[in-house]
């Protein structure tokens, strides 16, 4: 097994967990800034504002910091989709061949009876 095997087998899980970690880090910073009064917040609407602020801050950070993981995840998904397409094409070709053989056999028996 290659050294890249285990990393690529869970690329989606790795990317998602790292993305969630970045969001939670941003949320922690936003809550601390709100707690110490650096960002003025009040009530439930203030907490919603801090969550939205954390989401907005984490998006560009994730985009920049997780480009390698995103590329691995994309490669993994592309490989799986290509495999599914080839298996589907093989299955369709096999079914078409079976139908053609059954049709040829039916035509042979029909022409033999005439």
């Amino acid at each position: 097994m290659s050294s890249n095997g285990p990393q690529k087998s869970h690329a989606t899980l790795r990317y998602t967990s790292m993305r969630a970690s970045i969001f939670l880090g941003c949320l922690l910073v936003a809550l601390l800034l709100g707690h110490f009064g650096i960002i003025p917040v009040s009530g439930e609407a203030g907490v919603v504002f801090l969550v939205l602020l954390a989401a907005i801050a984490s998006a560009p950070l994730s985009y920049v910091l997780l480009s390698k993981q995103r590329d691995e995840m994309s490669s993994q998904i592309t490989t799986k989709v290509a495999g599914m397409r080839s298996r589907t094409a093989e299955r369709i070709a096999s079914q078409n061949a079976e139908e053609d053989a059954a049709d040829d056999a039916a035509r042979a028996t029909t022409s033999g009876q005439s």
Side-chain angles (χ1 to χ4, degrees), residues 27 31 40-53:
L27 181 60
L31 289 173
V41 294
S42 62
E44 193 174 308
V47 174
V48 171
F49 171 74
L50 291 176
V51 170
L52 290 175
L53 180 66

Side-chain angles (χ1 to χ4, degrees), residues 72-88:
E72 288 177 3
M73 181 179 67
S74 174
S75 173
Q76 179 185 12
I77 291 170
T78 302
T79 302
K80 285 185 180 182
V81 168
M84 287 174 28
R85 282 185 179 172
S86 66
R87 285 190 303 272
T88 301

Side-chain angles (χ1 to χ4, degrees), residues 31-72:
L31 289 173
L32 287 173
L33 291 174
H35 177 72
F36 290 112
I38 297 171
I39 298 176
V41 294
S42 62
E44 193 174 308
V47 174
V48 171
F49 171 74
L50 291 176
V51 170
L52 290 175
L53 180 66
I56 290 170
S58 69
L61 287 173
S62 296
Y63 182 75
V64 172
L65 297 175
L66 300 180
S67 64
K68 179 182 173 187
Q69 289 78 13
R70 191 172 44 258
D71 290 342
E72 288 177 3

